[in-house]
């Protein structure tokens, strides 16, 4: 199966208080299976909007997004939720962990009310081990450092083995060294699991380490270059 994502003539307009903002302006891009792509650009250039459209959290005003050649516009709301569950893992700057749940429970949360072919608790333990948190299964988010909380969020994103990991400034709240460790973790997941990674960052050093760097400006793609992939 080809798990590529293809965007054609993608635009997104927001309409608030009578003010129109063209957040994305005719984006054309293809993301190939297993790619590691970073997205850079000044604040307000449309990075988060693009990521939320790719992740089917929001719909474009114009244009199409194809996954494996299928237009996701054709999916109904419940089909879209299933599609997202099967294909996409999200990681955000603010971690978005549930404060009253332990690390293990947070990681299991996406599986709630889902039928899966594996043991949920065992799988959650496995992915927490993978991100280096086997000693923190029963810790609450408040008992974890920022870097550890982001690792829990990554474990939660990968528990159902998505084809794509979409990360919106995942290192934005972390110091440089911790940010690099999080980047390296995403990098090794990309290598080991073959999941594609689309990584929004303000950090030019991290951005250059990706296989491909897309720079955005005013809702457009300004450049699309190869990175070093180290
Ligand atoms: P970035 O992530 O690159 O900082 P965003 O994608 O968040 O940029 O935003 C792009 C533009 O769209 C900005 O001008 C922002 O103010 C606007 N925008 C984003 N989300 C909304 C929204 N929900 N309602 C209105 N305007 C929005
Ligand atoms: Mg943003």
């Amino acid at each position: 199966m080809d798990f590529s994502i293809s965007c054609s003539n993608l635009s997104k307009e927001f309409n608030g208080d009578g003010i129109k903002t063209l957040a994305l302006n005719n984006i054309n891009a293809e993301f190939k299976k297993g790619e590691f792509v970073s997205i850079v650009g000044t604040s307000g250039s449309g990075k988060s909007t693009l990521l939320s459209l790719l992740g089917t959290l929001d719909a474009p005003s114009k244009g199409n997004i194809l996954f494996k050649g299928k237009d996701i516009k054709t999916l109904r709301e419940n089909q879209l939720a299933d599609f997202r569950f099967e294909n996409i893992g999200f990681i955000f700057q603010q971690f978005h962990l549930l404060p009253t749940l332990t690390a293990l429970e947070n990681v299991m949360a996406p599986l709630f009310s889902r039928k899966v072919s594996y043991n949920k608790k065992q799988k959650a333990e496995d992915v927490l081990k993978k991100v280096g948190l086997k000693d923190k299964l029963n810790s609450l988010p408040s008992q974890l450092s920022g870097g550890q909380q982001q690792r829990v969020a990554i474990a939660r994103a990968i528990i159902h083995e998505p084809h794509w990991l979409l990360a919106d400034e995942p290192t934005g709240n972390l110091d440089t060294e911790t940010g690099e460790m999080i980047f390296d973790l995403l990098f090794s997941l990309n290598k080991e699991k073959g999941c594609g990674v689309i990584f929004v960052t303000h950090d030019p050093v991290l951005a250059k380490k990706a296989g491909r760097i897309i720079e955005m400006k005013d809702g457009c793609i300004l450049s699309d270059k190869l990175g070093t992939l180290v």
Side-chain angles (χ1 to χ4, degrees):
M1 275 290 192
D2 172 20
F3 288 98
S4 65
I5 310 176
S6 170
C7 315
S8 58
N9 307 115
L10 208 59
S11 293
K12 178 71 182 178
E13 189 175 78
F14 289 108
N15 241 322
D17 300 331
I19 303 165
K20 283 185 183 173
T21 307
L22 191 57
L24 293 180
N25 185 3
N26 204 37
I27 298 280
N28 288 287
E30 181 145 354
F31 301 93
K32 298 220 172 64
K33 177 184 182 297
E35 255 193 314
F36 197 121
V37 185
S38 65
I39 300 183
V40 296
T42 49
S43 179
S45 58
K47 306 181 298 294
S48 295
T49 305
L50 179 59
L51 219 59
S52 68
L53 296 193
L54 294 176
T56 75
L57 292 176
D58 203 353
S61 309
K62 280 191 204 143
N64 306 82
I65 302 174
L66 308 184
F67 271 87
K68 295 189 272 174
K70 187 178 164 64
D71 193 335
I72 52 172
K73 243 187 214 160
T74 61
L75 299 177
R76 276 194 290 256
E77 206 164 310
N78 59 340
Q79 292 174 316
L80 206 55
D82 290 347
F83 170 85
R84 213 180 292 131
F85 174 66
E86 293 295 340
N87 292 290
I88 295 165
F90 286 99
I91 304 153
F92 300 97
Q93 180 172 356
Q94 311 288 355
F95 321 134
H96 291 312
L97 300 177
L98 293 163
T100 56
L101 300 186
T102 64
L104 190 69
E105 290 164 344
N106 264 289
V107 171
M108 287 167 70
L111 306 178
F112 182 70
S113 82
R114 295 270 173 195
K115 268 202 188 121
V116 292
S117 60
Y118 47 85
N119 180 298
K120 293 179 180 179
K121 185 156 180 266
Q122 185 59 54
K123 186 70 186 280
E125 284 180 15
D126 290 348
V127 286
L128 277 163
K129 236 179 248 171
K130 183 161 248 345
V131 300
L133 290 179
K134 73 172 191 308
D135 302 332
K136 303 286 181 187
L137 305 183
N138 298 316
S139 302
L140 293 169
S142 60
Q143 297 167 324
L144 299 172
S145 70
Q148 288 170 334
Q149 289 183 60
Q150 194 59 299
R151 283 168 187 273
V152 175
I154 292 173
R156 178 183 58 186
I158 62 172
I159 189 162
H160 196 59
E161 309 209 352
H163 296 290
W164 287 94
L165 276 179
L166 306 184
D168 197 351
E169 307 209 26
T171 64
N173 272 359
L174 306 173
D175 60 72
T176 309
E177 197 183 329
T178 312
E180 271 175 19
M181 279 158 60
I182 291 295
F183 181 90
D184 291 344
L185 177 59
L186 292 175
F187 190 75
S188 66
L189 291 169
N190 171 254
K191 283 275 146 303
E192 267 174 52
K193 303 268 179 194
C195 59
V197 176
I198 305 178
F199 177 88
V200 172
T201 181
H202 267 116
D203 184 335
V205 178
L206 290 185
K208 279 208 188 91
K209 287 181 163 192
R212 176 179 166 199
I213 309 162
I214 292 178
E215 186 177 0
M216 294 188 67
K217 188 170 189 243
D218 298 335
C220 299
I221 292 181
L222 192 64
S223 64
D224 190 339
K225 297 186 259 196
L226 289 181
T228 50
L229 200 67
V230 288

